[in-house]
Amino acid sequence: IKYVFHHCRVVINYHMPIAEVKCMVINDLDRPDETLLNNLESISPNDVGHHLHFGFPCADISYMETGSSGPLSVVGPALTVRIPPEDSTMVHKATEVAQEGDIIVVDMQGHTEHAPWGEITTRGAMSSGASGAVIDGSITDSHDISELNFPIFARGKSARTTRLHGRGGDINVPIQVGGTVVDPGDIVLMNEDGILFVPPEEAEAAIQYGQEAIEEESKVLSQIEAGKSIADISTANNLIEQMESE
């Protein structure tokens, strides 16, 4: 990540005993190779979920049904944003910083009452070429966003929104989303069931895991169609026999 801009200032309110510190960091984003992203499009979070334990945010962050109808499959680099509660200044900036294919990922410190994302931010992100968003918080204008076919994952919806207070925030720094650490440039895999964040250096392994899972599933389906029991195929029956013998 190339360091681009750092600004920190102290605002002293003489009516208050403590000075307010406002800090802001905006970094450039090292985006993964396009070929790598294309290869990741061949797998889904579900495929890799058979092998990996980490990189999945909690299930509270779910698909808001705002994308186009039909199966959802989105892959792109994470443009990370961290904001103070109730202040979406840096979210607006992120929609300007985003480039083609980026997925804007917002950490708002666990706050869910005020939505930092709505129709206007969606339109701004789309104009920059962003392909989706993940909000560890709430969204608003969900109906309007669904008409724009822009996929978003979030914790929920709220009619109450953030404001532009200029209290600080960061773009393209490590953040936490749904209990998962996300670095700028991590690859985001999204489908209807969930999200997987993959560090670029682990992407090839994820592709291999995903392809193996797809091949194994194809074999299992063939066995089921041939009349074999799922409990036999998965060895669940063997485990049950072991438990009965203990």
Side-chain angles (χ1 to χ4, degrees), residues 34-106:
E34 193 67 29
T35 302
L36 187 62
L37 295 176
N38 292 336
N39 290 339
L40 280 164
E41 289 179 352
S42 66
I43 63 173
S44 74
N46 311 46
D47 300 325
V48 188
H50 293 289
H51 296 272
L52 299 181
H53 298 287
F54 305 107
F56 299 93
C58 67
D60 292 339
I61 299 178
S62 60
Y63 183 41
M64 294 288 103
E65 307 290 342
T66 56
S68 56
S69 60
L72 175 69
S73 179
V74 181
V75 177
L79 190 159
T80 62
V81 188
R82 181 170 58 192
I83 63 173
E86 303 181 27
D87 184 1
S88 56
T89 303
M90 299 305 278
V91 173
H92 284 219
K93 183 63 177 179
T95 66
E96 176 188 87
V97 172
Q99 295 184 16
E100 189 72 31
D102 288 350
I103 297 176
I104 298 175
V105 185
V106 180

Side-chain angles (χ1 to χ4, degrees), residues 18-173:
I18 300 175
E20 178 186 0
V21 179
K22 298 185 179 182
C23 293
M24 177 176 65
V25 175
I26 303 176
N27 289 324
D28 198 1
L29 180 62
D30 290 331
R31 292 172 173 83
D33 180 76
E34 193 67 29
T35 302
L36 187 62
L37 295 176
N38 292 336
N39 290 339
L40 280 164
E41 289 179 352
S42 66
I43 63 173
S44 74
N46 311 46
D47 300 325
V48 188
H50 293 289
H51 296 272
L52 299 181
H53 298 287
F54 305 107
F56 299 93
C58 67
D60 292 339
I61 299 178
S62 60
Y63 183 41
M64 294 288 103
E65 307 290 342
T66 56
S68 56
S69 60
L72 175 69
S73 179
V74 181
V75 177
L79 190 159
T80 62
V81 188
R82 181 170 58 192
I83 63 173
E86 303 181 27
D87 184 1
S88 56
T89 303
M90 299 305 278
V91 173
H92 284 219
K93 183 63 177 179
T95 66
E96 176 188 87
V97 172
Q99 295 184 16
E100 189 72 31
D102 288 350
I103 297 176
I104 298 175
V105 185
V106 180
D107 171 7
M108 57 184 311
Q109 315 295 303
H111 185 81
T112 58
E113 293 301 317
H114 296 76
W117 193 279
E119 180 188 1
I120 298 301
T121 44
T122 298
R123 290 185 180 275
M126 292 178 70
S127 70
S128 294
S131 58
V134 179
I135 314 298
D136 193 348
S138 300
I139 66 167
T140 194
D141 303 329
S142 58
H143 175 73
D144 298 312
I145 297 172
S146 66
E147 293 189 335
L148 298 173
N149 295 326
F150 188 80
I152 300 177
F153 278 74
R155 288 186 181 266
K157 303 171 185 178
S158 175
R160 199 176 182 188
T161 65
T162 54
R163 306 287 191 273
L164 271 67
H165 297 298
R167 294 173 180 163
D170 307 304
I171 294 176
N172 288 327
V173 299

